[in-house]
Amino acid sequence: MTGGKKNPAIGDNAADLAGSLIRGDRHALAKAITIVESTRSEHRTVAAELLNSLGAVSNRSVRVGISGAPGVGKSTFIEALGNHIVDAGLRVAVLAVDPSSATSGGSILGDKTRMETLARRPEAFIRPSPACNELGGVTRRSRESLLLCEAAGYDVVLVETVGVGQSETRVAEMTDMFLLMLLPGSGDELQGIKRGIMELADLVVVNKADGKMKELAERSAGDCQRALQFLSSRTRGWSVSVSACSAVEGTGIPAVWEQIQRHDEFLRSSGQLAARRLEQARGWMWSDLKEGLMTRLSEDESVAGYIQGLEAAITERSLLPPDAADRVLQTYGAGTAEKTKATKRKKCD
């Protein structure tokens, strides 16, 4: 929750914002995330300075990605888990990715309205962000937001995806634990999710184990546990477990938190956490590189005009798409090389 009066101590420059952020100011954290999510050029400059200044900040935050099909109860589960974590004396941040409005681009559901009790706790921070047509279940700047939450001193960062599917796996690339949520009687759902996302899961939780669904949920957990025996775990030496819980009643939540702690301790003691964080950093670089190349291609007027001609050729079926893409890369590469040579000649002159 980020309500309250604006803190006058928070300046507009990166240094002031970083100082307030490190002191745990939630308004500063909200402002920092807004800046890194912005596409305005002046904000991108401040965001780069801010992230560079926080690069040396060390934090032992536990990064947990949470995914599940719509209707599985992700928000209710996260609220129950978040309250349990806060009750244990820790601070928790939730980065919730919501579906986007086709008109405004903003969040449709607004997870803060669905986590009322957690949102009122001063030890918790909830940030809903629109997916903005991004694939992978996360936002374009989820990695930056995660780093900002860690710099602000949050012990646990929960990243909730917009949904689940083969494309909803990017969250696993930026977190230490990937928690997959299922509904009771999810045999058909498992077929839809496919093998790929199951192999990424470090923990599987069958939610809604209450009332008439309790017995079915427990049976589904057992079936899923047996199915996992035929899949390899992405974490070397870790046995993926399946838990049944009721986010509404709060039953099974302590057991889930215990599994998250066990996994974190296992990663640290086995030395795999450091390797996973390095892999996360490499993934971040490649993600930004792809986005940057697409942005430069779209902003380069000469290339944009050339692309329009290629699109027309594709429409007329006189050129295949792979050939068109290759020509764009060659043209852009040649243009970049020429600009580099011109810059060098100018320096020599």
Side-chain angles (χ1 to χ4, degrees):
M1 184 174 67
T2 58
K5 296 181 179 179
K6 183 177 179 180
N7 188 341
I10 301 173
D12 292 328
N13 62 70
D16 290 341
L17 191 56
S20 299
L21 187 68
I22 293 173
R23 290 193 294 272
D25 190 307
R26 288 190 299 172
H27 177 73
L29 176 56
K31 182 175 182 178
I33 293 177
T34 297
I35 289 174
V36 300
E37 288 182 340
S38 174
T39 56
R40 293 169 56 179
S41 58
E42 62 269 28
H43 285 170
R44 298 306 305 148
T45 301
V46 176
E49 294 175 357
L50 175 62
L51 292 171
N52 286 330
S53 66
L54 296 174
V57 176
S58 176
N59 195 284
R60 289 174 55 86
S61 293
V62 180
R63 304 175 179 178
V64 183
I66 301 176
S67 187
V72 75
K74 291 192 295 292
S75 296
T76 306
F77 169 79
I78 290 172
E79 180 174 42
L81 178 61
N83 279 317
H84 181 76
I85 293 172
V86 171
D87 289 341
L90 301 175
R91 300 176 70 209
V92 61
V94 179
L95 298 176
V97 184
D98 280 346
S100 302
S101 165
T103 304
S104 66
S107 300
I108 293 176
L109 299 180
D111 273 284
K112 287 176 71 173
T113 63
R114 293 178 286 128
M115 302 182 192
E116 292 183 3
T117 61
L118 184 61
R120 288 195 295 265
R121 305 194 70 165
E123 304 90 349
F125 174 86
I126 302 174
R127 173 71 179 214
S129 297
C132 295
N133 299 320
E134 285 287 311
L135 293 177
V138 292
T139 74
R140 187 168 49 91
R141 297 298 175 192
S142 288
R143 289 182 173 90
E144 288 89 334
S145 298
L146 197 156
L147 180 64
L148 293 173
C149 289
E150 290 193 330
Y154 286 90
D155 303 293
V156 182
V157 183
L158 306 177
V159 185
E160 176 194 3
T161 70
V162 70
V164 69
Q166 288 300 96
S167 65
E168 309 293 297
T169 56
R170 275 181 56 197
V171 69
E173 300 171 2
M174 63 181 70
T175 54
D176 307 323
M177 165 177 261
F178 181 47
L179 188 157
L180 177 62
M181 296 185 66
L182 300 176
L183 285 165
S186 54
D188 292 338
E189 183 181 351
L190 283 174
Q191 291 297 321
I193 291 173
K194 303 297 184 184
R195 178 171 178 155
I197 197 168
M198 288 294 294
E199 289 181 322
L200 292 176
D202 297 299
L203 174 63
V204 179
V205 174
V206 180
N207 192 24
K208 303 189 177 183
D210 47 59
K212 296 180 180 179
M213 302 289 284
K214 183 176 182 180
E215 184 178 343
L216 178 59
E218 292 175 348
R219 188 164 63 249
S220 297
D223 292 341
C224 185
Q225 187 72 74
R226 286 187 287 275
L228 285 170
Q229 296 176 4
F230 301 100
L231 300 178
S232 58
S233 171
R234 72 162 181 158
T235 304
R236 187 178 66 257
W238 173 257
S239 297
V240 180
S241 64
V242 184
S243 298
C245 77
S246 169
V248 174
E249 296 180 350
T251 55
I253 297 298
V256 172
W257 172 235
E258 183 180 344
Q259 284 294 317
I260 292 174
Q261 289 178 299
R262 283 188 59 245
H263 183 264
D264 179 62
E265 292 171 1
F266 180 82
L267 284 181
R268 295 180 190 278
S269 62
S270 65
Q272 295 185 67
L273 180 63
R276 185 159 294 183
R277 291 289 174 95
L278 288 174
E279 190 61 32
Q280 290 168 10
R282 282 192 289 268
W284 187 354
M285 180 199 74
W286 280 106
S287 176
D288 275 18
L289 179 59
K290 292 174 184 176
E291 180 189 338
L293 285 173
M294 290 301 296
T295 299
R296 292 192 179 188
L297 280 172
S298 63
E299 293 177 349
D300 191 312
E301 294 181 0
S302 60
V303 175
Y306 182 55
I307 289 176
Q308 289 179 357
L310 294 175
E311 288 177 338
I314 292 172
T315 303
E316 296 168 358
R317 298 187 177 182
S318 61
L319 184 67
L320 290 174
D323 294 331
D326 188 54
R327 292 186 186 184
V328 171
L329 292 174
Q330 290 180 6
T331 301
Y332 180 71
T336 302
E338 187 59 38
K339 289 178 182 177
T340 302
K341 291 179 181 178
T343 301
K344 289 182 177 179
R345 285 196 297 268
K346 187 174 181 180
K347 288 182 178 179
C348 291
D349 296 341

